[in-house]
Amino acid sequence: MSFKDLSLSREVLAGIEFLGYETPTPIQREAIPQVLSGKDLIAQAQTGTGKTAAFGIPLVERINPSIKGVQALILVPTRELALQVSEELRKLGKVKKLFVLTVYGGKPLQKHIDFLKKGLNSIVVGTPGRVKDLLGRGYLKLHKVRYLVLDEADRMLEMGFIEDIEEIISATPKDRQTLLFSATFNRVVTNLAEKFLKEDYGIIKIKPEDPTLESITQKVYQTSEKGLWEKLIRLLQAAPDSKTIIFTHTKREAESLSVGLREQGFKVEALHGDYPQKKRETILRKFREGVFYILVATDVASRGLDIRDVELVINYRLPKDSDSYIHRIGRTGRAGRKGTAISIMTDSERRYLSTILKRVKNRVEIYR
Ligand code: ADP
Ligand code: MG
């Protein structure tokens, strides 16, 4: 099957070609026709399987560039992801001349206001905080929204986001089409989501046996508190020049690890929510470009970020919940590539291990 079989316009097919995609991925094959048919959706597929284009392609197809005002709103949990999703939509909508505005905290409000005043943006991609802010000030008008997407939807419906999300959604028309995408959904989230979906909403679930998990080799090393650091160094030495993301529980640990690793001669940068936005963007760009090879990050980098050639993910301590584990390891092994995910843990995270093992069906080698 090719994209040509999906009844897309010439302009959108050109956008897809511009991205270099030849064959639709399973989630794209399933979701594109359903979105085009106007259905609300809950769509689940593993990390790195092309969910952005699965909603992006049909949206770009449906949006009418001659209508002024915001026709599609895409909400995402982090600033970095807002930029990445916007970039892909811009490429898809290039031939159709669609304007995509990215709004997120850490950028001057006035910039976003100036753009909104021009009224050209058919698609707005943003984080809930800034979207709510612009909405409250009356600069962002959502009464023309026909398409609403929550990317990383389960995260967006968690505490901390849900109140903003509810407020934003209530400013959009009731007859809009609503699309929820994520690699992970649970029963609670799905129940909560039903509030925002039409009764006849569709569910797409791409079987986890298919793509990504197979392409990621997973290992867990159990060690002592003191052993963590030594193990980390040995792992990094064993994989010289491999593009690596190390995940930590806290900003402080990200900071102290990056300082310690730099002292050991590694080319490394930290990334966490306390850094100013400009710095976050520069760090991520340099990591993408390969200026340095090791990124030490908190979960700000665990959701959705697509850095194609990440070869190794290291969890410095096991994450508390299995969703976080799934999203973190999914930063490697993307789009058909192979990757390795190594977790180093101490006894104090033992209680998290069994849930994670169950979740990934024990496809983990454990070393004590
Ligand atoms: P997800 O949101 O499922 O984690 P992304 O949308 O970030 O995945 O896409 C993962 C990677 O796969 C990106 O690098 C993207 O450019 C690439 N990709 C997406 N769709 C296709 C396709 N049809 N063919 C080739 N590569 C694709
Ligand atoms: Mg994604």
Side-chain angles (χ1 to χ4, degrees), residues 73 135 142-148 167-176 178:
L73 176 66
L135 185 67
L142 298 177
H143 62 282
K144 286 189 187 167
V145 166
R146 290 163 59 210
Y147 309 98
L148 171 76
E167 196 175 323
I168 295 164
I169 294 184
S170 68
T172 64
K174 279 228 152 40
D175 63 352
R176 64 169 193 269
T178 308

Side-chain angles (χ1 to χ4, degrees), residues 58-251:
L59 284 196
V60 167
E61 178 68 43
R62 279 287 178 257
I63 283 169
N64 181 346
S66 59
I67 295 176
K68 266 197 155 195
V70 182
Q71 293 169 62
L73 176 66
I74 297 161
L75 297 170
V76 301
T78 65
R79 301 162 180 186
E80 284 72 17
L81 192 53
L83 286 166
Q84 181 184 298
V85 168
S86 303
E87 200 51 42
E88 182 147 349
L89 290 170
R90 272 187 202 112
K91 286 179 184 156
L92 280 171
K94 195 178 149 90
V95 184
K96 244 185 129 166
K97 300 205 167 59
L98 292 184
F99 285 91
V100 181
L101 177 65
T102 324
V103 300
Y104 50 89
K107 262 255 150 66
L109 202 57
Q110 194 57 43
K111 272 210 169 128
H112 295 152
I113 294 172
D114 292 345
F115 272 110
L116 284 168
K117 277 187 176 157
K118 291 188 196 141
L120 291 172
N121 306 285
S122 337
I123 304 179
V124 169
V125 183
T127 51
R130 180 54 62 97
V131 168
K132 192 185 115 179
D133 198 1
L134 288 162
L135 185 67
R137 290 165 191 256
Y139 294 109
L140 179 62
K141 299 194 176 66
L142 298 177
H143 62 282
K144 286 189 187 167
V145 166
R146 290 163 59 210
Y147 309 98
L148 171 76
V149 181
L150 302 187
D151 193 16
E152 306 292 338
D154 56 330
R155 173 85 186 96
M156 304 302 284
L157 297 171
E158 275 173 22
M159 292 221 318
F161 278 127
I162 182 71
E163 281 172 17
D164 287 356
I165 297 285
E166 284 187 331
E167 196 175 323
I168 295 164
I169 294 184
S170 68
T172 64
K174 279 228 152 40
D175 63 352
R176 64 169 193 269
Q177 188 177 354
T178 308
L179 308 168
L180 308 188
F181 279 76
S182 186
T184 49
F185 279 102
N186 60 47
R187 197 55 233 162
V188 181
V189 167
T190 315
N191 286 342
L192 199 62
E194 282 177 350
K195 220 170 34 176
F196 308 118
L197 297 166
K198 294 192 205 97
E199 244 170 56
D200 64 342
Y201 74 88
I203 298 181
I204 297 176
K205 210 170 169 173
I206 304 296
K207 287 229 165 48
E209 293 79 282
D210 298 345
T212 325
L213 270 188
E214 243 86 281
S215 61
I216 306 173
T217 305
Q218 301 172 65
K219 295 179 186 175
V220 172
Y221 290 94
Q222 301 190 2
T223 178
S224 61
E225 191 63 36
K226 257 182 72 190
L228 277 175
W229 172 252
E230 264 171 44
K231 187 67 204 167
L232 177 67
I233 300 287
R234 263 183 279 131
L235 289 174
L236 293 175
Q237 283 168 343
D241 300 337
S242 295
K243 206 172 247 197
T244 302
I245 303 181
I246 303 169
F247 283 105
T248 61
H249 278 191
T250 63
K251 298 170 190 169

Side-chain angles (χ1 to χ4, degrees), residues 3 16 19-25 27-28 45-54 81 84 88 151-152 304-308 330-331 334-335 337:
F3 283 107
I16 295 168
L19 279 168
Y21 301 168
E22 281 165 13
T23 336
T25 64
I27 183 69
Q28 291 163 2
Q46 284 189 52
T47 55
T49 58
K51 291 190 288 297
T52 319
L81 192 53
Q84 181 184 298
E88 182 147 349
D151 193 16
E152 306 292 338
L305 283 194
D306 183 57
I307 298 161
R308 293 198 175 190
R331 292 321 97 210
R334 300 184 70 75
R337 288 185 172 75

